[in-house]
């Protein structure tokens, strides 16, 4: 049972990396295509870092009241739902689309980061201590390679598909990973 769980976790990590790598790699070019200025790009990066850091405390507190697996799943699915307005942003033609993008990315990052403490705790319980380092190193290598490959593929299709479709595909892949591997 543990072996199967670890295999699923590795597959989920690869799928998650595909989704996150594409979204993170093309977020700044997407913002630039919407007309973002240099200060707005800096703010976008800062908001992501701030949201990621501040989510750790409430994420840890949630583990006292809710199942770690439920936190992880709800965080992942909810954060992906907020990609829908990001994907639609180029088609809405709002004057303040960059500010909306920054706000949405802050929300997405905060919600997605809520699962960090739950995931870390869960993996500590699932992965036997004697193989933890080897397993997590292998999992991270597979996830990193998957993310790199997906980013390169997305870049080669970007001019054909556009940012919105690239983000929609990466979001769908991420949701598939949660539904299929959990």
């Amino acid at each position: 049972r543990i072996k199967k769980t670890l295999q699923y976790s590795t597959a989920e990590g690869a799928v998650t990396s595909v989704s996150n790598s594409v979204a993170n790699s093309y977020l700044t070019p997407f913002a630039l295509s919407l007309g973002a200025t240099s200060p707005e790009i800096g703010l976008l990066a800062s908001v992501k870092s701030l949201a990621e850091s501040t989510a750790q405390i409430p994420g840890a507190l949630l583990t006292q009241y809710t199942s770690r697996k439920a936190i992880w799943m709800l965080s992942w699915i909810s954060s992906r739902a907020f990609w829908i307005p990001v994907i639609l942003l180029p088609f809405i033609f709002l004057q303040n689309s960059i500010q909306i993008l920054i706000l949405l990315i802050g929300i997405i990052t905060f919600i997605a980061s809520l699962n960090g403490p739950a995931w870390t705790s869960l993996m500590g319980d699932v992965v036997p201590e004697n193989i933890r380092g080897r397993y997590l190193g292998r999992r991270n290598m597979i996830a990193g390679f998957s993310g790199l490959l997906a980013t390169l593929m997305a870049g080669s299709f970007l001019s054909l598909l556009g940012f919105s479709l690239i983000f929609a595909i990466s979001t769908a892949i991420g949701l598939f990973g949660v539904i299929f591997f959990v």
Side-chain angles (χ1 to χ4, degrees):
R1 181 175 161 94
I2 289 175
K3 185 176 180 179
K4 193 69 153 173
T5 299
L6 297 180
Q7 289 172 341
Y8 278 150
S9 177
T10 300
E12 175 275 322
V15 171
T16 297
S17 182
V18 165
S19 184
N20 287 343
S21 294
V22 170
N24 290 332
S25 296
Y26 294 104
L27 186 59
T28 298
F30 175 64
L32 290 170
S33 76
L34 293 175
T37 63
S38 294
E40 289 168 331
I41 296 297
L43 185 59
L44 179 63
S46 298
V47 164
K48 283 184 67 169
S49 293
L50 180 63
E52 192 172 58
S53 298
T54 56
Q56 298 305 303
I57 293 172
L61 292 173
L62 279 173
T63 61
Q64 297 174 3
Y65 304 104
T66 309
S67 145
R68 295 173 297 178
K69 187 174 178 180
I71 293 168
W72 181 81
M73 285 185 63
L74 288 172
S75 168
W76 185 247
I77 292 169
S78 300
S79 67
R80 289 304 176 233
F82 277 96
W83 273 97
I84 295 169
V86 171
I87 291 165
L88 297 175
L89 207 50
F91 307 107
I92 299 173
F93 303 111
L94 300 172
Q95 268 190 302
N96 55 353
S97 59
I98 300 302
Q99 291 81 13
I100 293 169
L101 176 65
I102 292 169
L103 176 66
L104 287 169
I105 294 303
I107 292 168
I108 289 166
T109 304
F110 182 85
I111 293 171
S113 298
L114 284 172
N115 73 14
W119 183 85
T120 303
S121 173
L122 194 60
M123 292 305 287
D125 287 350
V126 169
V127 182
E129 191 173 345
N130 62 328
I131 65 163
R132 194 171 293 154
R134 183 177 53 236
Y135 168 74
L136 290 173
R138 182 175 173 273
R139 182 185 187 275
N140 288 343
M141 182 182 66
I142 291 168
F145 181 74
S146 300
L148 174 65
L149 189 61
T151 301
L152 293 172
M153 288 176 58
S156 65
F157 288 110
L158 184 60
S159 62
L160 180 65
L161 302 176
F163 288 109
S164 291
L165 196 51
I166 295 289
F167 289 151
I169 292 168
S170 75
T171 299
I173 289 170
L175 287 172
F176 165 79
V178 170
I179 293 166
F180 187 74
F181 295 117
V182 174

